[in-house]
Amino acid sequence: MAKDKKTPRPKAETPKGFRDYFGAEVTERAEMLAKIAAVYHRYGFDALETSAVETVEALGKFLPDVDRPNEGVFAWQEFDEKDRGDWLALRYDLTAPLARVYAQHRNDLPTPYRRYAMGPVWRNEKPGPGRFRQFYQCDADTVGAASVAADAEICAMLADVFEDLGLAGDYVVKVNNRKVLNGVMEVAGVLDPADPEKFARERGIVLRAIDKLDRLGAQGVRALLGEGRKDESGDFTKGAGLSDEQAEVVMGFVSANDFVRKSLFNSIGTSPREADYLRRGAAAQGNRPKSSEVTQREDFGSVWNVSVLEHLAGLVRGSEVGGNGVNELKQIAELLEAQGYSSDRIVIDPSVVRGLGYYTGPVFEAELTFEITDEDGRPRQFGSVAGGGRYDDLVKRFTGQEVPATGISIGVDRLLAALRAKGRIGGQAATGPVVVTVMDRERMAEYMGMVAELRSAGIRAELYLGNPKNFGNQLKYADKRGSPVAVIAGADEAARGVVQIKDLILGAEIARNASLEEWKDRPSQYEVPRADLVARVRAILDGQGSDGPRG
Amino acid sequence: MAKDKKTPRPKAETPKGFRDYFGAEVTERAEMLAKIAAVYHRYGFDALETSAVETVEALGKFLPDVDRPNEGVFAWQEFDEKDRGDWLALRYDLTAPLARVYAQHRNDLPTPYRRYAMGPVWRNEKPGPGRFRQFYQCDADTVGAASVAADAEICAMLADVFEDLGLAGDYVVKVNNRKVLNGVMEVAGVLDPADPEKFARERGIVLRAIDKLDRLGAQGVRALLGEGRKDESGDFTKGAGLSDEQAEVVMGFVSANDFVRKSLFNSIGTSPREADYLRRGAAAQGNRPKSSEVTQREDFGSVWNVSVLEHLAGLVRGSEVGGNGVNELKQIAELLEAQGYSSDRIVIDPSVVRGLGYYTGPVFEAELTFEITDEDGRPRQFGSVAGGGRYDDLVKRFTGQEVPATGISIGVDRLLAALRAKGRIGGQAATGPVVVTVMDRERMAEYMGMVAELRSAGIRAELYLGNPKNFGNQLKYADKRGSPVAVIAGADEAARGVVQIKDLILGAEIARNASLEEWKDRPSQYEVPRADLVARVRAILDGQGSDGPRG
């Protein structure tokens, strides 16, 4: 350590864009992931954990962030004594590693292979407030199943995840199909199937325009499909250059929900409230519109999905791929209906497109429908917490053979924030430990014995291990730890065979309400026989849990 | 995808030295870590999760593997549009990030700060069979507590971890103190405290020699302390160059266990079996030597530790640091004794030195004492699964102020292997799902309904999602999945309102024992009313769990 003076001290900082997670942040996430894993397991999905590091070659380049170093991944080149080796990188999602695993182990894995995975992924993004370069994903995918029953299963499983997390009535799983959009563009004459590169490029422009529906509204999207759009600041974004006629066909798809709402009103008199209920999902009985002729219909739960499918079938008439797409959506809706998932929980929604380029069929998006207050104090819907879809080409990169696959990825941090907002997690009673204080340094063994007794009884407890000289510091420490109870035993207590037990929750209560006479009768500190230590602490903890308010 | 023909296909391989973990490998580890976390939590330790990526500067260089690229870590340099930035690296352990976290957040954290952390770490080691470059660690540390009560607590907690994992009687936690070794070397005249660099270098040579006690025995270590040692292949390793007199003093420390064994026999007539029991740890009652005058002694549980401490006190007489070290060990032993941890579970053992350079006081090592059979068919003790100690300088790197700290790191993969060897994990009944087979493609909704019913009843179940044409493939799939039950329902069954339930465990049993007459009366396939599906599957699963052997 003689060198300490020469070398400057290292900075105690995380790298930019990374952060630490403390205490409940860690355990609540673990609790949530365990509940999700239980649902996945019930559905027959098996756990898979790949390493954080993959070869760049195996990962492929699927991130949209092409302007960043290494196209958005953290990468480095191996080298040993002699030469440079493979380029390695941190995984940027859990899907690319799955494709590699399935290609590598396909002879040993069952087919179809259902797997779930949960863990951190890394993105070499520009760090910004609230944007982190390491975050958790929680995925479930089925590889090797071409049937849309696999897509339906993913949707049902996602709904069950929300139900098991206590979010019944607060979510909707939206389903769309890329094939329908392709069909719409074919009908509109936007796409030229004969030229695949032009096809992909033009489809991309239209996809990106539609993906902005939430933010820009129908008018904004319409502008982007045509000449272009000037935003509030006056900046102009060039459009896709569709003719008015073409743009109208695409808008019939984008605004399908509005068309269906109107047509339902015209045909069976559905009120706006009823239509909204049908479309946005509200499993909670309380949200269901009051009994009317419409809500009495036996097919009420499925009427929305049926109407959307009719509308879409009309839009893609004449396109084979479009017809297939509508047919797949119809099958998915029917399979889900048979299991009791109506359109109040899983709904066909043409406004969902999902950004990622590799989807080839059905796409999914799960939204939480309850309202929160945004930074500007305005109420808004919580929004998307999961997304996914069918991707039939990822394994083909490795093997040359097309392997159908479909899956979902849950945004762990957003879902956790939602559970906290709804009070569905972390709201339990005191998690701080009982603190046994140190009055006499030479009686440490005795104090440790007390702590050991408490722990043996399953009570979280610790001995104060700082410098015991200043007793006030010990109580400040207990406060910082959120301790429910402190134990105090000096020489005097030892001589008399007793200990002092201080109810810190009640104590804080009394301190806050010091003026009230009634508190006088409720002391927050008790002297109890040493032998009763565990029983009395247990009694205080039980009392705090049942009726004692937490500070 | 027109480019597919031009670009070569990527190899579907993990990078060298990395691997994938499937199914039970993932869930059993998670189960074990959850049990360990519960013990840590009961002791008042809080969870901490740092990111995988740290700056190289913050991590520091503490790995012994200095010959590897970047001294054994995976590292790369950040860069953005303009310039190169910080060097980043994957963490190589959980201790270096803790030091960074404590230095960064010390004003917000309680002091002492007890934290636990579990997760992967990365080492840029030469890959080899069974050596992986990503592996799990599971640590608990107390930062800011100078008292040896913190060290004692770590030892007690480690013992509780093994007890809660079902390893009572199969472990021993060994404790030593670097200060005692320093004292011994001071007495022997090996160390020159006036020259810190020479001090550190010479201590390092002696440490490495002692660390080989397990492998080379006392004679081998003795040779390495002196001139050097020729191994079986004839290769010569240069020694530390100690004089005979110096080496004898050090050997008095290294072989302290033998000295104590002899002195116990001389003083109170302890038999070798009794001494071994006292030293090696065997909490299981069955291992305790039969009642004798010696085992009847009231201080039987502590006699070994007391004797070792006496022996050590004699060795370091005249050295202040050595005396302090013995005194600390004595306090640790007494604190543990007071909580009921005798030397059959936690034992003072001078042969433990631990390789890492940064330990400054007490060091710990936990061993599992049951025997396994090694690759050559020979029985050997399972060995070390955890290690740690006191390190008072790691936070100082950042802040300039010395912050006392102590902790333990559990080798997750080794402990998991031990639990599997002892049948303490993963031995439960069938985890494979019930498979509902597909007889008619057009009745998928019906089959999905069956699966949904089974899942709603908490039964793990799945629909066969592959190509249903070949029914044999469906049963092969069920076999590969380890399914306990298959459900079969064709048009005929549907018409009659029944389903076929096939007990696959019993079926396999019958197939294996086809010649036995008795099986004839036990059909493995039942026809049951559709309405009874869930109840009958449940009954079969319960039967398999209670008496049905697993294939």
Side-chain angles (χ1 to χ4, degrees), chain B residues 112-292:
Chain B
Y113 175 49
R114 289 175 174 95
R115 88 87 180 78
Y116 70 84
M118 22 191 69
V121 301
W122 293 266
R123 303 267 170 98
N124 193 354
E125 293 178 346
K126 225 184 191 114
R131 277 172 73 104
F132 296 103
R133 299 161 90 188
Q134 172 175 331
F135 54 93
Y136 267 72
Q137 287 189 335
C138 171
D139 287 21
D141 295 79
T142 302
V143 182
S147 162
V148 290
D151 302 287
E153 180 177 82
I154 294 280
C155 295
M157 184 164 72
L158 198 52
D160 282 11
V161 162
F162 295 125
E163 300 278 338
D164 280 22
L165 289 174
L167 293 172
D170 286 322
Y171 70 90
V172 60
V173 178
K174 298 175 168 182
V175 188
N176 193 9
N177 196 329
R178 281 281 170 87
K179 289 180 185 169
V180 178
L181 179 59
N182 288 348
V184 168
M185 292 198 259
E186 196 184 321
V187 168
V190 179
L191 295 184
D192 178 5
D195 182 342
E197 293 216 8
K198 187 157 168 279
F199 179 101
R201 192 173 60 245
E202 291 188 336
R203 199 183 65 155
I205 298 173
V206 174
L207 268 180
R208 277 197 295 281
I210 300 176
D211 210 17
K212 292 182 179 133
L213 182 64
D214 263 1
R215 203 153 51 79
L216 305 182
Q219 279 204 313
V221 174
R222 174 66 183 78
L224 283 176
L225 289 175
E227 294 297 309
R229 178 177 173 274
K230 196 180 270 185
D231 67 16
E232 284 155 23
S233 71
D235 284 347
F236 187 79
T237 310
K238 197 169 173 295
L242 269 57
S243 72
D244 283 359
E245 217 174 0
Q246 291 175 326
E248 279 315 310
V249 179
V250 174
M251 287 309 293
F253 177 77
V254 175
S255 301
N257 289 335
D258 294 333
F259 284 96
V260 172
R261 199 179 285 112
K262 274 179 218 151
S263 95
L264 275 174
F265 175 74
N266 290 337
S267 64
I268 58 170
T270 313
S271 72
R273 170 111 206 270
E274 287 162 343
D276 202 47
Y277 170 77
L278 286 169
R279 191 186 62 83
R280 279 197 40 213
Q285 214 51 30
N287 288 339
R288 192 177 171 126
K290 286 212 189 66
S291 178
S292 72

Side-chain angles (χ1 to χ4, degrees), chain A residues 1 4 9-15 18-23 26-27 29 41-55 57-58 68-69 74-76 78-81 88 90 100-101 103-105 107-114 116 122 124 126 133-134 136 142 145 147 149-150 152-153 335 338-339 396-400 431 433 444-445 448-449 452 455 458-466 477 480-481, chain B residues 4 9-15 18-23 26-27 29 41-55 57-58 68-69 74-76 78-81 88 90 100-101 103-105 107-114 116 122 124 126 133-134 136 142 145 147 149-150 152-153 335 338-339 393 396-400 431 433 444-445 448-449 452 455 458-466 477 480-481:
Chain A
M1 298 289 144
D4 266 13
R9 282 189 207 133
K11 279 197 284 285
E13 282 172 9
T14 45
F18 292 90
R19 57 161 294 196
D20 303 309
Y21 295 81
F22 293 91
V26 179
T27 51
R29 180 175 56 206
H41 182 261
R42 200 162 72 228
Y43 270 76
F45 286 67
D46 278 344
L48 170 68
E49 187 172 319
T50 60
S51 60
V53 180
E54 297 270 352
T55 64
E57 180 190 1
R68 294 286 306 164
F74 289 105
W76 65 91
E78 278 251 77
F79 59 93
D80 57 23
E81 300 79 33
L88 304 183
L90 293 176
R100 193 265 305 151
V101 165
Q104 184 173 349
H105 300 282
N107 293 330
D108 302 316
L109 291 170
T111 295
Y113 175 50
R114 289 176 174 94
Y116 70 85
W122 293 265
N124 193 355
K126 226 184 189 113
R133 300 160 91 187
Q134 172 175 329
Y136 267 71
T142 302
S147 162
E153 180 176 82
L335 289 170
Q339 298 170 70
K396 191 183 176 188
R397 288 182 59 231
F398 296 101
T399 63
T431 53
M444 289 298 270
M448 278 198 112
R455 286 173 185 151
I459 297 169
R460 190 178 194 208
E462 45 174 65
L463 177 64
Y464 181 72
L465 284 180
Y477 171 83
K480 197 158 197 172
R481 298 287 288 127
Chain B
D4 266 13
R9 283 187 207 135
K11 278 197 284 287
E13 282 173 9
T14 46
F18 292 91
R19 57 161 294 196
D20 303 309
Y21 295 82
F22 293 91
V26 179
T27 52
R29 181 175 56 206
H41 182 261
R42 200 162 73 229
Y43 270 77
F45 285 67
D46 279 344
L48 169 68
E49 187 171 318
T50 61
S51 59
V53 181
E54 297 271 352
T55 64
E57 180 190 0
R68 294 284 306 163
F74 289 105
W76 65 91
E78 279 250 77
F79 59 95
D80 57 22
E81 301 78 34
L88 303 183
L90 294 177
R100 193 265 305 151
V101 165
Q104 184 173 350
H105 301 282
N107 293 329
D108 302 317
L109 292 171
T111 293
Y113 175 49
R114 289 175 174 95
Y116 70 84
W122 293 266
N124 193 354
K126 225 184 191 114
R133 299 161 90 188
Q134 172 175 331
Y136 267 72
T142 302
S147 162
E153 180 177 82
L335 289 170
Q339 299 170 69
D393 295 330
K396 190 182 176 188
R397 288 182 59 230
F398 297 100
T399 63
T431 54
M444 289 298 270
M448 279 196 111
R455 286 172 185 153
I459 296 170
R460 191 179 195 208
E462 46 174 64
L463 178 64
Y464 180 73
L465 283 180
Y477 171 83
K480 198 156 196 173
R481 298 287 288 126

Side-chain angles (χ1 to χ4, degrees), chain B residues 328-376:
Chain B
E328 287 179 4
L329 285 176
K330 187 159 171 279
Q331 285 179 58
I332 291 173
E334 283 169 2
L335 289 170
L336 290 168
E337 195 79 37
Q339 299 170 69
Y341 300 95
S342 303
S343 61
D344 54 349
R345 294 200 280 168
I346 305 181
V347 67
I348 310 291
D349 188 330
S351 69
V352 170
V353 292
R354 305 293 307 159
L356 274 170
Y358 58 58
Y359 292 123
T360 54
V363 287
F364 328 118
E365 188 162 290
E367 281 181 21
L368 297 183
T369 52
F370 62 85
E371 284 190 346
I372 53 162
T373 308
D374 69 11
E375 297 105 50
D376 305 325

Side-chain angles (χ1 to χ4, degrees), chain A residues 132 199 211 226 274 514 526:
Chain A
F132 295 103
F199 179 102
D211 209 19
E274 287 162 343
Y526 316 80

